[in-house]
Amino acid sequence: MKSSLIGLSLLSFCLCSVGCGGGKGGGVSDTAVVREDSIAEKSDLSVRAGEMADSVLAGMSIEEKAAQLMMPALFSSDDFFTLKAVGEYGRKGVGGLVLLKGDSASAAIIADSLTKASSILPFISIDAEWGLGMRLKDEPSYPFNSEIGEEATETEMFDYGASVGRQCRELGINMVLGPVVDVAAPGSIMRRRSYGSDPVRVSDLAVAYARGLESEGVMSVAKHFPGHGSAKGDSHKFTPVIERSLHQMDSVDLYPFKKYIEAGLSAVMVGHLAVPAIDPEMQPAAVSHTVISELLQRELGFKGLVLTDALTMGGAEGAGADKVLEAGADIVLVPVNTDEEIKRVCNAVVSGRITQERLDESVRKILFYKYLLLLKRDSQ
């Protein structure tokens, strides 16, 4: 079905995929307007979410705070051992889960089980770069990002994101690890996953898609900061070196992230990339204070959640949750050993290497977004 429909407009593809592929979210609107709303919009809800976050944070132990930073991964299966792990994660108070391959019924059971086992709403996240079918075999898939035609409009991309958002909500998923905002260079390993080689076009499509997701109460996560599009290697295997000048990084790779930030959207994922033009010490970006604290947060003014890419990837070798926190990130995706990473953070705080204030900064931000999700859901 996919190859025969690539030539159609994205909106037509979305309508057919959801109708024919078993998606639960229904079709997309014929008259959607790209709204400015986002999960973190300035409103009475955000004030209330901040108050709730402060209240809960005040009563948390160091271990409970450290656990909120962790989002381990599980396959979307409802077998005994998976559900046992879900219960254990709930009791430990982890911040959420990353859903891997499986089926939608199991994904919904895992999301519901972790939510019931947790005292604080967990983030239930999934890679859905071309729809939930990327991970869940019985959910609809859309074209790879590289196959989206030039005729696709921002309104259609908003509709696309809103449709995926509705499908996510049906399953209890509240975070999509996308959109990919990497600008693909010729021969890039990211070519299939990228919206193209034009940074303006990439940002227009990605921001519209992210707004659509967030209009349905599902957080978006722009990735992979500061830009994976020119990498000549796969960060799943090792740490690629981005050999662009600072001018090239600023005008090409960082451009879509700037537009995403200007739109007030929720989260950014930092990749396992060495960028000597930004950090001469060539630390992997996910543990680089220069990349996260100085560039992303201070210079670009990003106030939302900062996630790492999965720490099980080859490019993250040697990276621990303590280094992630020191660099300025908030959430550790797919730690190699969740218990050990919680201990690592606790030990760093107790020893004074990481201040209590630094830990609280990230945990408060996590709690803020969780309570904002709840308040927006209840207000709909």
Side-chain angles (χ1 to χ4, degrees):
M1 178 173 67
K2 181 185 296 181
S3 59
S4 65
L5 290 173
I6 290 169
L8 300 180
S9 73
L10 180 62
L11 179 59
S12 298
F13 188 94
C14 289
L15 287 168
C16 183
S17 291
V18 174
C20 302
K24 302 173 183 64
V28 294
S29 166
D30 292 328
T31 58
V33 176
V34 181
R35 298 187 297 272
E36 295 296 326
D37 54 349
S38 67
I39 287 175
E41 65 185 337
K42 299 298 182 183
S43 66
D44 291 340
L45 293 184
S46 64
V47 172
R48 178 63 179 142
E51 293 171 346
M52 295 169 73
D54 289 335
S55 176
V56 172
L57 180 66
M60 296 176 72
S61 68
I62 293 176
E63 290 79 7
E64 290 169 332
K65 293 173 184 177
Q68 278 294 304
L69 309 181
M70 308 299 162
M71 288 181 61
L74 286 173
F75 284 97
S76 298
S77 170
D78 63 353
D79 63 273
F80 171 80
F81 293 103
T82 298
L83 294 183
K84 181 180 178 182
V86 170
E88 291 173 352
Y89 284 141
R91 286 188 290 276
K92 292 171 184 173
V94 299
L97 285 176
V98 179
L99 295 174
L100 303 177
K101 289 186 176 182
D103 62 87
S104 59
S106 296
I109 290 171
I110 289 171
D112 183 62
S113 298
L114 184 62
T115 300
K116 289 178 177 176
S118 303
S119 60
I120 297 171
L121 176 74
F123 288 134
I124 307 295
S125 72
I126 193 167
D127 281 304
E129 295 173 19
W130 47 88
L132 289 175
M134 179 178 174
R135 289 289 183 258
L136 305 178
K137 60 186 179 183
D138 54 343
E139 288 290 324
S141 290
Y142 299 87
F144 295 133
N145 293 338
S146 62
E147 296 170 343
I148 294 173
E150 293 183 0
E151 71 276 13
T153 67
E154 290 178 60
T155 298
E156 289 169 350
M157 289 300 294
F158 180 94
D159 278 346
Y160 175 18
S163 181
V164 173
R166 289 191 291 273
Q167 294 163 29
C168 286
R169 285 197 294 108
E170 288 286 335
L171 302 179
I173 296 168
N174 54 25
M175 177 186 284
V176 165
L177 302 176
V180 172
V181 301
D182 299 312
V183 181
S188 170
I189 194 170
M190 301 299 293
R191 184 196 62 80
R192 186 177 71 168
R193 301 169 64 187
S194 170
Y195 290 113
S197 59
D198 177 3
V200 176
R201 179 68 170 163
V202 169
S203 63
D204 288 347
L205 297 184
V207 169
Y209 173 84
R211 283 173 167 159
L213 280 174
E214 300 211 358
S215 75
E216 294 294 329
V218 175
M219 293 182 66
S220 64
V221 182
K223 61 186 186 184
H224 307 80
F225 191 83
H228 203 306
S230 66
K232 295 178 181 175
D234 186 350
S235 57
H236 289 86
K237 300 175 181 178
F238 58 90
T239 306
V241 177
I242 305 299
E243 298 175 346
R244 285 196 190 270
S245 69
L246 191 58
H247 173 72
Q248 288 174 316
M249 291 296 300
D250 185 59
S251 61
V252 178
D253 298 278
L254 295 178
Y255 182 87
F257 288 102
K258 293 177 185 177
K259 294 301 178 183
Y260 180 91
I261 293 167
E262 288 173 9
L265 294 159
S266 296
V268 167
M269 179 190 293
V270 181
H272 302 308
L273 310 162
V275 192
I278 298 172
D279 183 352
E281 295 183 8
M282 292 181 61
Q283 296 182 83
V287 293
S288 170
H289 186 274
T290 302
V291 170
I292 299 175
S293 292
E294 296 182 19
L295 176 59
L296 177 59
Q297 295 172 325
R298 189 171 307 150
E299 187 170 334
L300 300 186
F302 183 60
K303 304 301 182 185
L305 284 174
V306 180
L307 292 73
T308 69
D309 208 341
L311 290 197
T312 52
M313 294 166 60
E317 186 175 359
D322 54 339
K323 294 181 180 179
V324 167
L325 197 61
E326 286 178 313
D330 306 303
I331 292 177
V332 177
L333 282 192
V334 199
V336 176
N337 184 312
T338 301
D339 289 342
E340 288 301 315
E341 295 301 336
I342 291 172
K343 291 178 184 176
R344 195 189 299 263
V345 172
C346 290
N347 290 339
V349 173
V350 170
S351 69
R353 184 161 57 86
I354 295 176
T355 66
Q356 182 78 50
E357 290 74 22
R358 173 66 196 94
L359 176 60
D360 286 354
E361 178 187 3
S362 283
V363 177
R364 186 195 184 277
K365 203 187 302 182
I366 291 167
L367 295 175
F368 168 78
Y369 277 96
K370 289 183 173 186
Y371 287 118
L372 196 55
L373 283 171
L374 284 171
L375 290 170
K376 288 182 73 71
R377 182 192 68 187
D378 292 345
S379 68
Q380 291 176 343

